[in-house]
Amino acid sequence: MPESAATAPARTDWSLIWAQPGFRYFFFAMFISLFGSGMNFAGVSWHILALTHSTVKVSYQVIVATAPGLLIPFIGGVLIDRYDRRYLGIALDFCRGIAVLTTSYIAWRGHLELWHLYLITLIVGVGSAMYWADVNALVQEVIPASQFTGANAAVVIGVQTGMLFAGALVGFTYDNAGIAGILCVDGLTYFVSAWCLYKLRSGYVSPRQHLTKYPREFSEATEATAEALESAEMPDVAEAGLSLAVYSDLKEGVAYLSEQPTVRALGITHSILMAGVVSANVLVVALAADILHRGARGLGYLEAGWGFGAIIGGLLASQLSQRLRMTLYAFALAGLALGHLAMPFISILALAIVFQSLFGFCRSLSGVVAQASLMFIVPRHFMGRTQSAMAVATTVLQLLMSFALGWISQQINIYAAFAFLALIYAFGTASAFHARRLLGTANS
């Protein structure tokens, strides 16, 4: 589908969105999943800082969580575009839930060590590297195309509401139940999320139903291989056919992205945004401990402020005209750059919470606009590979930024680290204005 095929989104009709039974289950799955993940990420970060008093060790957690995104999305994007996205999400939820509950039991028995936390973070990161590309692609299947912006806004609201409640409760939970309690809550939420995805719809739905029996990546020369793959009568040939199919899918995805400058601009901006959000956790933990001196509860209030701002940003993004959405999309990145320059000079908790709310607002508004724009541009059978390519770019940035922020904060000071983060958001601002210009040209 060419970029010019993207049309201006219709005004959000909330009654139409919530009338879809599958979307209601999807919304709650996102809410409960992020509630648990928010508790986990903030709780584990604080526990590592309390044990080691090192922002570099906290940055290792972020690095371990995001490193799988360098490899997993390559195969993940192919799987997402080939198999039922609902079943993939359920399987990923089950695997992560079992792993987190096992670690919770180890902590409850008093045998938890630092390497356990890094290991569970790695396991969850492997699942998340595929999960979020999967559920972002799944949105296309459970909502009318005219309501993609509102649907993405609702998803962001569900995600950030979960983060809001997690932020409000993580400090109290940590003080009363410790890291074992936080991990237990997170582990249980994965099973609730899996149940919601199971109830989302019935039957098996392939993203490739509209294609012919043998999609175009199988040429006539490989038709026999495809038949062997289906019948499994020739295992060696079948294995070769699978490798060929995966390679063809990857090659086709790269070719698609190389021809879509608007998709690339939106993806780069979104990757910078998401990398900044995740890696900034290293600094937020240090801010709560070293500047605000408010401990785990102060960190919880900061996370809650972020969630509140993100909910407002998602609601606003769904009600704006397309032209105004893209303008605010670009200026939101500029707001993140300027705000993070000022953040380390704030020593009053209430004011820091206000700034976190503004950051959440800007991130949510930008995220909704970017994802909705991509859904209008990217064909359904390319969405998994597009989301996975964005995930890889995000992961590379997260790894570099997380270590850099932790090192700068510890070796120089937290002010320099926040300035470095602001510089990254400045690059994101330039990319956002470029995407805005390209979209304006395509729709003119």
Side-chain angles (χ1 to χ4, degrees):
M1 179 185 296
E3 291 170 346
S4 59
T7 58
R11 183 170 291 277
T12 298
D13 183 350
W14 290 108
S15 62
L16 179 60
I17 292 173
W18 293 112
Q20 314 299 316
F23 187 78
R24 294 198 294 269
Y25 282 109
F26 185 87
F27 176 86
F28 189 72
M30 296 301 97
F31 165 77
I32 196 67
S33 180
L34 264 294
F35 173 77
S37 296
M39 293 275 285
N40 182 318
F41 200 66
V44 171
S45 297
W46 185 260
H47 190 73
I48 291 174
L49 185 66
L51 286 176
T52 66
H53 305 287
S54 169
T55 54
V56 172
K57 294 293 179 63
V58 177
S59 74
Y60 290 163
Q61 180 213 1
V62 180
I63 291 171
V64 169
T66 56
L70 289 173
L71 299 175
I72 299 301
F74 288 105
I75 185 65
V78 173
L79 295 176
I80 292 166
D81 284 342
R82 279 184 168 270
Y83 302 107
D84 191 309
R85 292 157 178 173
R86 179 176 67 111
Y87 286 138
L88 283 176
I90 292 171
L92 291 168
D93 273 336
F94 263 99
C95 292
R96 290 183 295 171
I98 291 171
V100 173
L101 285 179
T102 300
T103 309
S104 174
Y105 176 74
I106 294 173
W108 178 66
R109 292 296 302 269
H111 302 305
L112 186 69
E113 297 182 19
L114 190 60
W115 71 266
H116 289 121
L117 294 176
Y118 287 139
L119 177 61
I120 190 57
T121 300
L122 176 64
I123 293 172
V124 172
V126 169
S128 297
M130 188 187 304
Y131 184 81
W132 289 110
D134 180 64
V135 296
N136 282 330
L138 187 58
V139 174
Q140 281 184 310
E141 301 179 11
V142 296
I143 207 71
S146 64
Q147 299 300 313
F148 280 159
T149 301
N152 277 280
V155 170
V156 169
I157 291 169
V159 166
Q160 297 301 332
T161 302
M163 294 291 287
L164 173 64
F165 280 96
L169 296 175
V170 65
F172 300 97
T173 305
Y174 185 86
D175 286 346
N176 291 281
I179 192 64
I182 285 178
L183 292 175
C184 181
V185 170
D186 181 37
L188 293 175
T189 60
Y190 284 118
F191 293 99
V192 177
S193 174
W195 179 82
C196 290
L197 292 180
Y198 174 77
K199 297 289 290 183
L200 187 147
R201 66 173 181 232
S202 60
Y204 184 93
V205 176
S206 170
R208 292 173 174 259
Q209 283 181 335
H210 65 289
L211 300 177
T212 60
K213 181 180 180 182
Y214 301 116
R216 64 176 178 273
E217 61 266 28
F218 290 100
S219 65
E220 291 182 3
T222 59
E223 183 104 356
T225 301
E227 292 175 351
L229 185 60
E230 285 188 349
S231 64
E233 293 175 358
M234 301 173 63
D236 292 339
V237 177
E239 183 178 352
L242 179 60
S243 300
L244 177 62
V246 171
Y247 173 76
S248 297
D249 282 354
L250 289 173
K251 183 178 178 181
E252 186 184 40
V254 171
Y256 170 77
L257 290 175
S258 67
E259 298 169 355
Q260 302 290 335
T262 304
V263 174
R264 293 199 306 272
L266 287 167
I268 290 170
T269 307
H270 196 63
S271 295
I272 290 174
L273 177 68
M274 294 305 300
V277 168
V278 175
S279 59
N281 185 71
V282 176
L283 301 184
V284 173
V285 172
L287 183 77
D290 301 332
I291 294 181
L292 299 175
H293 305 291
R294 291 304 186 100
R297 295 194 180 190
L299 176 62
Y301 289 134
L302 292 174
E303 297 288 348
W306 173 279
F308 176 77
I311 293 170
I312 303 302
L315 286 171
L316 179 63
S318 67
Q319 300 302 314
L320 298 174
S321 66
Q322 174 67 357
R323 183 177 180 85
L324 190 54
R325 283 173 191 162
M326 291 308 301
T327 300
L328 290 179
Y329 165 70
F331 279 103
L333 269 295
L336 288 170
L338 294 174
H340 281 86
L341 275 178
M343 189 65 169
F345 297 98
I346 298 172
S347 58
I348 302 173
L349 179 61
L351 187 56
I353 293 172
V354 171
F355 266 69
Q356 279 288 94
S357 298
L358 291 174
F359 296 158
F361 175 88
C362 292
R363 178 264 176 262
S364 180
L365 187 147
S366 298
V368 169
V369 173
Q371 287 291 349
S373 298
L374 286 170
M375 287 184 181
F376 277 98
I377 297 171
V378 181
R380 175 176 165 181
H381 60 285
F382 277 116
M383 182 56 80
R385 281 165 286 180
T386 299
Q387 293 288 341
S388 295
M390 290 167 54
V392 172
T394 300
T395 299
V396 172
L397 285 172
Q398 284 176 354
L399 290 173
L400 296 174
M401 290 173 61
S402 297
F403 181 78
L405 292 175
W407 187 88
I408 293 172
S409 178
Q410 185 162 305
Q411 299 298 321
I412 304 177
N413 56 50
I414 195 172
Y415 306 101
F418 269 103
F420 177 76
L421 181 57
L423 178 63
I424 299 298
Y425 279 129
F427 285 114
T429 302
S431 180
F433 275 103
H434 179 55
R436 175 178 177 270
R437 182 181 61 80
L438 289 173
L439 270 175
T441 301
N443 290 324
S444 61

